[in-house]
Amino acid sequence: MDDMITVKNLTKRYGDYVAVDDVSFTCRPGQVTGFLGPNGAGKSTTMRIIAGLTPPTSGVAQLYGVDYRTIPNPATQVGILLDASAQHAGRTGAEVLRLSAMTMGIGRDRVDEMLELVSLTPEEAGRRVRNYSLGMRQRLGIAAALLGDPKILILDEPANGLDPAGIHWMRTLLRGYADRGGTVLLSSHLLHEIEIVADDIVVIGNGRIVAQGTKDELLAGAGTRVRSLDDAALGEALVAAGITVQRNTSGGLDVDADPVDVGRAAAAVGVVLTELRPADGAQLEAMFLQLTAETQREHTTLEGVAR
């Protein structure tokens, strides 16, 4: 099967509130799919539906072409981390993994292997989870998700609580897992986290998909950055050539066109370019902020009311 995760026309309503609104996307093997959006955009609800924890109002979410709840011994097929703080606080880290391994019919050697993989020392593994930092809980949660050697990983905000070294470790781990043929769905409200590791990106705001595609497609869609010795004359030449131009706050112009077309327009009017390059993460960030601005404003208002 080409797509390991298939979400089609997924909707979830709570009374009059629509948490997820006609969401569709797929996740492919060998790829990290970044599920990006501000807090409250519908990421966690969508992931809970995929994991069989929340029933959808309508639409389908399938893994391997079937409903999660119909998969036999599902933890050996799908590794899930939705809430690192939900682990049993009274058990040690090692006990949490051993109980999971027993349920799956997996030997204890795999538990030790996973503890080593996520860099939890024997001393830390022997501590009760209530005494874990959030970062340690995330590592334990990732170990639990990988325990059954699944082909699909679904992780909701797994970098929360990790320090910079921990975030780098997690990215390296997920990249290696996908490169070996695994399928990863990774959510975050932080664009930079997603941008570095993801192959495909799905952006959600107000419960609806607002952009999706490969990272390269989304970056290409953000246009070109150009600076010159005479930006005013260059801007006029570009507009005359039918190219959309925006002045960038840090100087230069953001142009909705291929760099070659920009160079030709500049040459035609004799303007010397000092910078010409495809859009980078700064443009993707601008797109993300623009796409989710409405969601951000609504939640700011709601938070104000709640107080």
Side-chain angles (χ1 to χ4, degrees):
M1 172 173 289
D2 289 339
D3 298 320
M4 301 293 271
I5 303 175
T6 305
V7 175
K8 195 170 181 184
N9 304 121
L10 203 64
T11 297
K12 179 63 180 178
R13 291 190 188 88
Y14 295 97
D16 292 336
Y17 176 63
V18 184
V20 178
D21 189 358
D22 196 32
V23 162
S24 298
F25 63 89
T26 58
C27 303
R28 301 173 290 156
Q31 307 288 310
V32 176
T33 300
F35 195 26
L36 181 64
N39 292 326
K43 300 187 303 295
S44 294
T45 303
T46 301
M47 294 175 107
R48 287 181 60 81
I49 293 170
I50 295 170
L53 296 170
T54 299
T57 304
S58 60
V60 293
Q62 294 184 323
L63 303 150
Y64 304 98
V66 298
D67 188 302
Y68 176 86
R69 286 166 293 191
T70 68
I71 299 172
N73 201 358
T76 61
Q77 306 299 315
V78 188
I80 296 172
L81 174 59
L82 297 185
D83 183 2
S85 62
Q87 294 144 351
H88 195 296
R91 294 197 177 111
T92 68
E95 283 169 352
V96 167
L97 294 187
R98 282 186 201 127
L99 284 166
S100 293
M102 282 169 60
T103 306
M104 286 183 248
I106 293 170
R108 284 180 65 156
D109 286 355
R110 180 72 179 169
V111 171
D112 295 336
E113 196 183 321
M114 289 302 97
L115 286 168
E116 192 172 336
L117 178 72
V118 301
S119 303
L120 285 175
T121 66
E123 186 273 325
E124 288 168 337
R127 254 189 249 169
R128 298 200 186 281
V129 173
R130 72 163 59 93
N131 298 319
Y132 276 20
S133 66
L134 178 55
M136 287 171 68
R137 288 181 190 229
Q138 291 286 21
R139 288 176 182 271
L140 180 64
I142 290 169
L146 288 167
L147 193 59
D149 196 20
K151 296 290 186 290
I152 296 175
L153 269 184
I154 298 173
L155 309 173
D156 191 10
E157 302 274 3
N160 276 359
L162 292 178
D163 59 17
I167 291 171
H168 177 77
W169 160 81
M170 185 196 66
R171 285 192 200 119
T172 306
L173 176 78
L174 297 181
R175 183 71 268 157
Y177 175 90
D179 289 346
R180 291 190 299 276
T183 301
V184 181
L185 177 60
L186 167 73
S187 85
S188 179
H189 64 283
L190 302 172
L191 180 135
H192 187 60
E193 229 173 71
I194 292 290
E195 187 191 343
I196 288 175
V197 75
D199 303 292
D200 297 331
I201 295 176
V202 178
V203 185
I204 188 170
N206 275 335
R208 294 185 71 87
I209 301 296
V210 290
Q212 63 178 309
T214 68
K215 179 167 64 180
D216 290 343
E217 284 169 351
L218 292 182
L219 283 171
T224 296
R225 167 67 61 83
V226 60
R227 293 173 194 255
S228 73
L229 295 180
D230 189 348
D231 283 349
L234 176 61
E236 287 174 13
L238 291 167
V239 170
I243 295 171
T244 305
V245 178
Q246 269 193 322
R247 188 168 290 280
N248 190 282
T249 51
S250 60
L253 305 171
D254 288 334
V255 182
D256 189 12
D258 188 88
V260 174
D261 296 330
V262 176
R264 282 202 184 105
V269 293
V271 172
V272 177
L273 300 184
T274 56
E275 182 181 8
L276 178 64
R277 60 184 170 85
D280 58 12
Q283 275 68 44
L284 185 57
E285 183 173 29
M287 181 198 74
F288 173 59
L289 292 173
Q290 179 187 345
L291 289 170
T292 55
E294 187 183 338
T295 310
Q296 297 280 27
R297 278 199 302 274
E298 283 193 9
H299 281 275
T300 302
T301 307
L302 288 172
E303 284 165 10
V305 171
R307 288 196 191 96

